Amino acid sequence: MIRILVLLVALLSPTLACPFCNPGESDIFGDISEAQAVVLVSKVDKRKYKIVESLLGPAKAGRVVVAAEPQGKLGKQGTLLLTTAGPPNLPYWSDAPRVLDKEELAFARKALQVSRRSEADKWDFAARHLHNESSEISRAAYNLLATAPLSEVQKRASIPGQANLVAWVKDPKISPERRALFLLMSYQGLQPADSSWLKKALFDPNISPSSPLLGPLAVAYLNLLGPKAVAEIESHFYKPNYPASRITPLNRALTLVAEQSPRLKSAVTELFRRELKHPQRGPFVLAPLALWQDASGMDDAEGLFKKNPQVTWVKVAVIRYFRTLPTTIAEAPLRRLSQTDATLVERTTDTYRRSDLGID
């Protein structure tokens, strides 16, 4: 049950971030953005640091503060940058120092300026540092764009350039998370000649269903090849015995391209109508079908409600589906559902919203 709930949240929860992107651990830019003070320090003892230079906040040079042991690779040489999200007058600072080389320190100084600017400036800054050799810099750049709307991510494809983005997508030495972002930035600029490597990567039997690349590969392939790609993806990925966990990224990919491309929406809708008949996977396509005002699956949705009398999240999803459809056609089904669980039907008044698609 818990796993199913997690899957439902992953597919339908509201998000403002780039779809399929997953911001990771803390980074320089994030620490600086949230900091009340930013300083350069020298280590004087275990967990004790002397402030050498203050970059932000009321922290005077010469003062000794307490913080965790430095982050970063063991033995790395460089300058210690220390930040705190708490009041800088406290003796203990919230963050651990980062060991930065010259390039990383220059990035941090620039980040301090950019962090006070507009979101657009931050995303431009990130796009200029996406493929840096420094993991500190590239992680900060990735995390910034991974929390941006997809449209804003794609606007910045010209900064690194289409050729670079495609080359990075193909590079197995780069992490799948970053390659997924590069593909999301670049897929609208792909050409027919790209279909062969895309197809090979998407239908690779060794690709994991949980790979962050799976969804973006499907989006790119669908966008490039059109409706015929929907049939290919359904045949390969939507096996009757596959669990919902295995196709969640594909559902999101199909939903995204249907929202972006009228020529694909019809084919995707038909696939989702078939999915609605699946006893386990059906609930996961209710949101897009409802928002697309597709009422052809009302009988199947009502069947899901009746077949899951003890599974509240499924019943809520079905009720929201009917709440989203026009009242004139949903009134009778809701009345029938009330005969089974009047309290839940009365209490569930939310319609589905676009944010429930998880693709913005």
Side-chain angles (χ1 to χ4, degrees):
M1 172 63 75
I2 292 175
R3 179 170 179 162
I4 292 174
L5 283 169
V6 169
L7 286 169
L8 187 67
V9 169
L11 179 63
L12 303 179
S13 62
T15 177
L16 297 177
C18 170
F20 309 104
C21 297
N22 299 293
E25 59 193 84
S26 67
D27 60 77
I28 306 173
F29 194 93
D31 285 355
I32 286 174
S33 298
E34 298 170 2
Q36 293 193 38
V38 180
V39 297
L40 304 182
V41 297
S42 61
K43 189 170 184 177
V44 295
D45 202 350
K46 185 176 182 180
R47 297 166 62 96
K48 291 184 178 180
Y49 305 91
K50 182 179 180 180
I51 297 174
V52 175
E53 180 183 351
S54 177
L55 304 181
L56 173 72
K60 294 182 179 180
R63 181 182 160 206
V64 174
V65 296
V66 179
E69 288 296 292
Q71 297 184 39
K73 298 177 182 178
L74 292 175
K76 180 181 178 181
Q77 299 297 310
T79 302
L80 292 177
L81 179 91
L82 180 61
T83 61
T84 184
N89 61 323
L90 296 178
Y92 186 86
W93 282 28
S94 62
D95 304 322
R98 292 181 181 274
V99 184
L100 306 181
D101 62 25
K102 289 183 178 179
E103 184 182 11
E104 291 164 346
L105 180 57
F107 175 86
R109 290 182 184 275
K110 184 65 175 178
L112 189 59
Q113 302 171 23
V114 175
S115 66
R116 273 59 183 170
R117 297 179 187 168
S118 68
E119 293 298 310
D121 285 344
K122 295 175 188 177
W123 297 328
D124 288 345
F125 178 64
R128 290 194 290 271
H129 293 88
L130 272 176
H131 195 53
N132 197 284
E133 291 184 1
S134 162
S135 60
E136 287 277 10
I137 295 174
S138 62
R139 180 169 61 248
Y142 171 84
N143 285 348
L144 269 169
L145 284 180
T147 56
L150 178 60
S151 60
E152 296 296 338
V153 172
Q154 292 173 333
K155 285 177 185 177
R156 285 151 181 85
S158 61
I159 295 177
Q162 181 74 7
N164 282 330
L165 288 169
V166 172
W168 299 340
V169 170
K170 295 179 180 180
D171 188 348
K173 295 179 181 179
I174 299 174
S175 72
E177 290 82 7
R178 290 173 59 204
R179 291 163 66 196
L181 175 63
F182 300 151
L183 185 51
L184 288 168
M185 291 183 78
S186 64
Y187 75 81
Q188 291 184 330
L190 295 178
Q191 302 300 315
D194 293 300
S195 61
S196 57
W197 69 261
L198 261 182
K199 183 171 185 175
K200 182 179 179 181
L202 175 60
F203 297 109
D204 183 345
N206 295 317
I207 192 169
S208 168
S210 61
S211 170
L213 257 176
L214 181 59
L217 283 169
V219 168
Y221 192 68
L222 288 158
N223 186 74
L224 190 59
L225 273 77
K228 67 178 183 179
V230 177
E232 287 186 76
I233 285 175
E234 182 176 13
S235 175
H236 186 85
F237 291 104
Y238 285 78
K239 306 291 187 184
N241 61 321
Y242 284 179
S245 59
R246 188 157 182 169
I247 62 164
T248 295
L250 284 309
N251 280 352
R252 293 185 72 192
L254 287 159
T255 300
L256 175 59
V257 296
E259 285 282 304
Q260 290 188 334
S261 172
R263 71 185 180 125
L264 284 162
K265 192 169 188 177
S266 177
V268 172
T269 301
E270 289 176 7
L271 189 160
F272 282 0
R273 287 171 184 161
R274 292 188 286 275
E275 275 294 286
L276 194 56
K277 297 178 183 296
H278 194 286
Q280 284 78 46
R281 302 193 312 233
F284 295 91
V285 296
L286 285 168
L289 289 176
L291 288 165
W292 297 339
Q293 296 291 282
D294 186 87
S296 64
M298 288 199 303
D299 289 345
D300 293 319
E302 200 170 340
L304 286 172
F305 189 97
K306 294 175 181 177
K307 292 173 185 176
N308 293 275
Q310 305 302 320
V311 188
T312 301
W313 73 266
V314 172
K315 295 197 293 183
V316 168
V318 171
I319 297 168
R320 292 187 71 195
Y321 166 80
F322 285 113
R323 294 289 187 202
T324 310
L325 296 178
T327 304
T328 52
I329 60 176
E331 185 176 3
L334 284 170
R335 187 163 50 247
R336 288 192 293 271
L337 298 184
S338 293
Q339 294 172 2
T340 303
D341 196 334
T343 301
L344 187 62
V345 173
E346 182 179 0
R347 192 170 67 232
T348 305
T349 59
D350 285 350
T351 62
Y352 279 115
R353 297 173 293 275
R354 182 177 167 80
S355 58
D356 290 309
L357 298 176
I359 59 172
D360 289 329

